[in-house]
């Protein structure tokens, strides 16, 4: 069967209305705005209310992406949601979102590759369209990590909540669209970034709560070293699968893990640091949502234009890391600020 | 001054955004040059790339001064040249 060319034909993004600024954290914990900025680059992050959950952010983002692509929910054939914080352990966030959208003709599931999840899901979604199995696929990256971090642990100040969504469809053969992917994993080092309890190994119990096992474990040194290496590896490997070199790339939209990551990586790649799209100062690290939120803002701020060669890079728990290379094919009719829920 | 010291001093100056004159073999990365933990990871990754060696986390965390790191790198390079 002939392989089809696949493009992003619509994009949406949504963050919670509620802002948690460094000034708020200063008042609640023994930490300074200056310390958080220097260590992470984050100035404020948006966090859900007690009542909100992942699908509350994903559904508005999805509706916006569908409207941008001119699609009705009933026309969707598959929804794949990258998340590690679904509304419930089961059913999947994908099914929850499918139901709330009224996408009655779509299959739906989740994909968990932590912060790499959106790029992984984009790779899977692309193949579903490229193969001819489906014409209209929705790929979502959405996480509400604020409910799972320990706000007395400084590592928590990195994080925020959000959702982003893209529609994938076949596009004209002479276009490039989504060109190639690299997906990596090293489960043997999974323990450097982990939520110990709440799964089938250690189900939630009074004991796990008393032992503090529902707080993420994150080794700062190992995580930063892994992240820097993973960004390099994903960019170099995905480029090596194409005729392009780093000089041909117009914009890199990375997972927003920590602002401190981009200067060394730009130095090693021999590129100006502003080739990386960075918005971590306003949203923090939004896990699987950070890449689609970055794409959304880059497009709506005019940094990303039709015809640009774009590289996506992401890395996270697993360990997992992923890269994508694409020729940007979508331009919005109007420029919009990111949605708030 | 050894070649390794000159090259490593350049890296420290670039990562910390300070003049090379401020950096001596006795300079302690954290106490004197105000490097934080992320600066230290960046410097170790820089050194790994620049000198083609590997530095484990435990090793990196046991080295405090610029001179100690330079000696460590020189020892690694010497091991590599005798084993190859």
């Amino acid at each position: 069967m002939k392989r089809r060319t696949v493009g992003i034909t619509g994009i949406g993004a949504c963050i919670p209305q509620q802002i948690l600024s460094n000034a708020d954290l200063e008042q609640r914990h023994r930490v300074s705005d200056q310390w958080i900025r220097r260590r992470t680059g984050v100035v404020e992050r948006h966090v859900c209310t007690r009542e909100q959950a992942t699908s509350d952010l994903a559904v508005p983002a999805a509706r916006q992406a569908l409207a941008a692509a001119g699609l009705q929910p009933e026309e969707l054939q598959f929804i794949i949601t990258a998340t590690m914080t679904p509304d419930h352990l089961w059913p999947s966030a994908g099914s929850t979102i499918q139901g709330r959208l009224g996408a009655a003709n779509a299959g739906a599931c989740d994909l968990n590759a932590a912060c790499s999840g959106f790029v992984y899901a984009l790779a899977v979604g692309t193949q579903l369209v490229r193969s001819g199995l489906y014409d209209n696929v929705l790929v979502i990256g959405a996480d509400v990590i604020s409910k799972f971090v320990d706000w007395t642990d400084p590592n928590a100040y990195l994080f925020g909540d959000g959702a982003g969504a893209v529609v994938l469809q076949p596009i004209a053969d002479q276009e490039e669209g989504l060109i190639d992917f690299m997906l990596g994993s090293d489960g043997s080092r999974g323990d450097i970034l982990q939520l110990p309890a709440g799964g089938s190994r250690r189900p939630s119990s009074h004991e796990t709560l008393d032992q503090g096992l529902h707080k993420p474990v994150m080794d700062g040194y190992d995580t930063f070293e892994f992240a820097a290496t993973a960004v390099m590896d994903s960019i170099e490997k995905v480029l090596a699968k194409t005729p392009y070199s780093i000089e041909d790339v117009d914009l890199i939209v990375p997972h927003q893990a920590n602002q401190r990551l981009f200067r060394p990586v730009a130095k090693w790649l021999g590129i100006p640091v502003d080739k990386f799209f960075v918005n971590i100062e306003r949203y923090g690290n939004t896990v699987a949502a950070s890449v689609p939120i970055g794409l959304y803002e880059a497009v709506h701020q005019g940094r990303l234009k039709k015809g640009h060669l774009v590289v996506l890079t992401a890395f996270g728990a697993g360990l997992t890391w992923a890269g994508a290379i694409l020729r940007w094919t979508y331009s919005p009719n109007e420029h919009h600020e990111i949605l708030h829920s | 001054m050894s070649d390794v010291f000159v090259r490593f001093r350049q890296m420290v100056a670039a990562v910390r955004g300070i003049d090379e004159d401020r950096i001596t073999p006795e300079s302690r990365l954290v106490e004197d040059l105000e490097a934080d933990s992320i600066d230290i990871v960046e410097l170790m990754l820089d050194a790994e790339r620049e000198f083609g060696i590997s530095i484990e986390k435990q090793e990196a965390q046991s080295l405090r001064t610029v001179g100690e790191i330079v000696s460590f790198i020189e020892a690694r390079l010497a091991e590599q040249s005798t084993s190859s």
Side-chain angles (χ1 to χ4, degrees):
Chain A
M1 189 159 51
K2 187 175 164 296
R3 282 158 58 96
R4 304 195 296 183
T5 306
V6 185
I8 291 173
T9 57
I11 185 162
C14 180
I15 49 169
Q17 204 128 41
Q18 179 174 243
I19 293 174
L20 181 63
S21 68
N22 289 355
D24 297 330
L25 289 168
E26 269 183 339
Q27 288 185 349
R28 291 178 212 175
H29 307 287
R30 287 168 60 185
V31 64
S32 73
D33 167 51
Q34 199 190 1
W35 188 91
I36 301 174
R37 280 186 205 223
R38 182 175 173 205
R39 292 297 177 115
T40 67
V42 183
V43 177
E44 61 183 33
R45 69 289 289 142
H46 291 247
V47 294
C48 281
T49 61
R50 213 181 158 80
E51 292 74 28
Q52 285 178 310
T54 298
S55 70
D56 297 322
L57 306 179
V59 168
R63 285 206 180 105
Q64 193 185 26
L66 289 173
L71 270 187
Q72 295 302 315
E74 306 78 47
E75 294 176 276
L76 274 177
Q77 293 163 302
F78 202 77
I79 300 170
I80 178 163
T81 303
T83 187
M84 58 178 205
T85 57
D87 294 21
H88 308 97
L89 206 46
W90 78 81
S92 73
S95 288
T96 307
I97 295 160
Q98 178 264 334
R100 290 182 61 181
L101 282 175
N105 301 305
C109 69
D110 287 357
L111 183 155
N112 180 354
C115 299
S116 315
F118 178 78
V119 181
Y120 262 75
L122 197 63
V124 175
T126 297
Q127 309 320 310
L128 295 175
V129 179
R130 182 166 284 166
S131 64
L133 188 61
Y134 296 130
D135 292 328
N136 302 322
V137 169
L138 183 67
V139 175
I140 298 169
D143 272 295
V144 175
I145 187 70
S146 67
K147 308 249 179 164
F148 297 88
V149 296
D150 169 14
W151 288 100
T152 64
D153 174 355
N155 283 328
Y157 309 152
L158 276 170
F159 294 101
D161 302 334
V166 297
V167 173
L168 301 181
Q169 291 182 299
I171 57 171
D173 281 346
Q174 63 271 22
E175 298 207 64
E176 283 183 294
L178 291 142
I179 301 166
D180 221 322
F181 298 89
M182 81 72 64
L183 307 175
S185 176
D186 181 2
S188 70
R189 289 196 291 156
D191 57 347
I192 70 171
L193 212 50
Q194 193 186 54
L195 187 64
S200 58
R201 178 71 61 196
R202 284 181 182 138
S204 312
S205 66
H206 290 293
E207 263 181 2
T208 60
L209 263 181
D210 291 344
Q211 291 167 4
L213 296 174
H214 294 272
K215 301 169 181 176
V217 173
M218 184 169 158
D219 181 299
Y221 188 105
D222 287 336
T223 305
F224 197 88
E225 184 189 32
F226 157 66
T229 313
V231 174
M232 293 295 293
D233 190 64
S234 59
I235 293 174
E236 288 174 346
K237 284 201 177 132
V238 83
L239 278 169
K241 296 174 85 175
T242 73
Y244 300 114
S245 69
I246 189 73
E247 287 73 32
D248 299 317
V249 175
D250 296 294
L251 191 68
I252 301 170
V253 181
H255 168 51
Q256 311 282 320
N258 189 322
Q259 176 130 42
R260 298 280 296 276
L261 203 53
F262 304 119
R263 189 190 67 177
V265 173
K267 173 175 70 184
W268 300 327
L269 287 169
I271 58 170
V273 71
D274 61 8
K275 214 172 235 196
F276 285 96
F277 183 82
V278 180
N279 62 5
I280 191 171
E281 67 279 4
R282 281 168 295 129
Y283 306 123
N285 172 346
T286 56
V287 190
S290 78
V291 171
I293 289 174
L295 279 173
Y296 181 90
E297 286 211 325
V299 171
H300 285 272
Q301 291 172 6
R303 285 274 310 270
L304 182 50
K305 296 193 170 94
K306 223 172 171 170
H308 278 172
L309 189 65
V310 191
V311 165
L312 312 179
T313 172
F315 44 89
L319 302 172
T320 55
W321 61 105
I325 182 163
L326 55 149
R327 182 74 67 182
W328 194 252
T329 48
Y330 165 76
S331 63
N333 295 327
E334 293 170 340
H335 290 285
H336 294 289
E337 294 287 313
I338 194 163
L339 291 175
H340 290 73
S341 176
Chain B
M1 275 191 295
S2 75
D3 169 57
V4 172
F5 175 74
V6 171
R7 285 156 73 191
F8 187 68
R9 184 173 64 178
Q10 277 176 1
M11 293 176 208
V12 177
V15 166
R16 291 295 310 117
I18 56 176
D19 285 340
E20 290 185 22
D21 305 348
R22 268 189 64 191
I23 304 163
T24 67
E26 291 73 39
S27 304
R28 292 168 300 176
L29 281 178
V30 176
E31 295 86 345
D32 302 325
L33 305 179
E34 295 169 359
D36 65 18
S37 55
I38 299 175
D39 290 326
I40 291 171
V41 188
E42 182 179 347
L43 274 171
M44 295 303 153
L45 291 169
D46 270 342
E48 288 186 339
R49 298 179 80 84
E50 175 77 10
F51 298 106
I53 56 169
S54 73
I55 308 172
E56 297 300 321
K57 178 171 83 168
Q58 287 74 13
E59 293 166 335
Q61 290 175 338
S62 70
L63 302 167
R64 289 183 69 198
T65 67
V66 170
E68 283 170 12
I69 298 169
V70 168
S71 302
F72 177 87
I73 295 168
E74 287 172 338
R76 270 291 144 86
L77 290 171
E79 278 169 33
Q80 280 183 0
S81 63
T82 50
S83 64
S84 61

